[in-house]
Amino acid sequence: AAALDLPGPLRPAEAVPPLPRSGEPPPELGPAAPRLAVHPGGSSQWNRRWPLGNYAELCRLAARHTGAVCYLFGDRSERDDLHRLAEAIAAHRPGTGAEVVADAALDRTANLLAEMDLLLGNDSSLAHVAAAVRTPAVVLYGPTGTEFLWARVYPHHTGVSLRYPCQSATNPAAALAARSCEHDCALAYVSADGPYPKCLADLSVDRVWAAVSRRLGQSRAARIEAPL
């Protein structure tokens, strides 16, 4: 509250005001099956990504158990990974819905996320956009120390991590070059074939699916819009 020059204490809905946007649902959205937004990307300078193959397996689980359609979000630089993910989903489960949403403008991204039942993704900017449009999110935390901060601020936010000791490091962004990890994990993202940080590579699909399946079972109409 002090940082925002606002009177405190604040309730979550006051600390995270709705994002200004056109408010028009995108016309290309499919039928009202569960809609799972998936963001497998993030900064290439600091690898905080869950393995792409794990996202493919989880999308297949979501389709099989809930009939969900996965909308794969990312920017222009992530387009190839998104199409690779869509192909992996379809290859192992033909007919499974997977729509690529690459390099969309912020307003369109916000409108799409507002129509989703859930966002699943890495610790990145889309988790904050989802919070601003009141869409629940399951966020996977790797080499970052912000999990408990956002879980307290955002009422619809679920963090999943293994909480390895090295995950508590909070190096400033400007000091990433000097960042150290007891597992000697690679700092930058190289490709979808890896290497990935151990704290995310060790995070099982079953553990993430447990969090996703709980949230997908909650309809949009049942979201808790009131502050915690």
Side-chain angles (χ1 to χ4, degrees):
L4 297 172
D5 195 26
L6 297 170
L10 292 178
R11 298 181 299 176
E14 296 169 327
V16 190
L19 180 72
R21 58 189 174 90
S22 66
E24 298 177 1
E28 72 273 26
L29 285 175
R35 296 169 181 156
L36 176 60
V38 177
H39 182 225
S43 169
S44 60
Q45 290 77 27
W46 183 9
N47 191 355
R48 292 175 284 176
R49 305 186 190 205
W50 200 41
L52 199 68
N54 289 355
Y55 276 111
E57 185 177 344
L58 192 137
C59 285
R60 293 192 295 267
L61 282 171
R64 181 164 65 248
H65 291 289
T66 72
V69 175
C70 289
Y71 292 81
L72 314 179
F73 284 75
D75 64 24
R76 184 183 294 108
S77 69
E78 296 161 353
R79 188 186 301 271
D80 289 347
D81 283 356
L82 297 179
H83 283 286
R84 179 173 173 173
L85 175 55
E87 291 169 2
I89 295 168
H92 288 83
R93 187 171 173 80
T96 298
E99 302 289 336
V100 172
V101 183
D103 201 29
L106 177 59
D107 189 71
R108 180 167 181 265
T109 298
N111 285 334
L112 281 166
L113 283 178
E115 297 300 316
M116 298 289 130
D117 292 281
L118 183 69
L119 167 69
L120 166 68
N122 306 319
D123 178 20
S124 68
S125 59
L126 280 193
H128 303 291
V129 177
V133 297
R134 305 302 193 262
T135 293
V138 171
V139 179
L140 312 182
Y141 287 92
T144 179
T146 57
E147 176 183 357
F148 300 110
L149 167 64
W150 300 122
R152 288 196 299 267
V153 172
Y154 297 152
H156 308 301
H157 187 102
T158 300
V160 182
S161 78
L162 294 175
R163 300 178 186 172
Y164 287 175
C166 54
Q167 290 182 253
S168 63
T170 55
N171 304 59
L176 285 182
R179 188 180 182 88
S180 61
C181 171
E182 65 187 66
H183 304 291
D184 294 321
C185 295
L187 181 64
Y189 175 72
V190 178
S191 79
D193 297 314
Y196 290 95
K198 181 175 174 59
C199 51
L200 284 164
D202 288 354
L203 184 59
S204 71
V205 172
D206 286 345
R207 184 162 183 163
V208 177
W209 172 241
V212 168
S213 60
R214 283 196 301 270
R215 298 311 301 259
L216 273 181
Q218 300 172 359
S219 69
R220 290 206 298 277
R223 289 181 191 168
I224 303 174
E225 296 296 342
L228 294 178

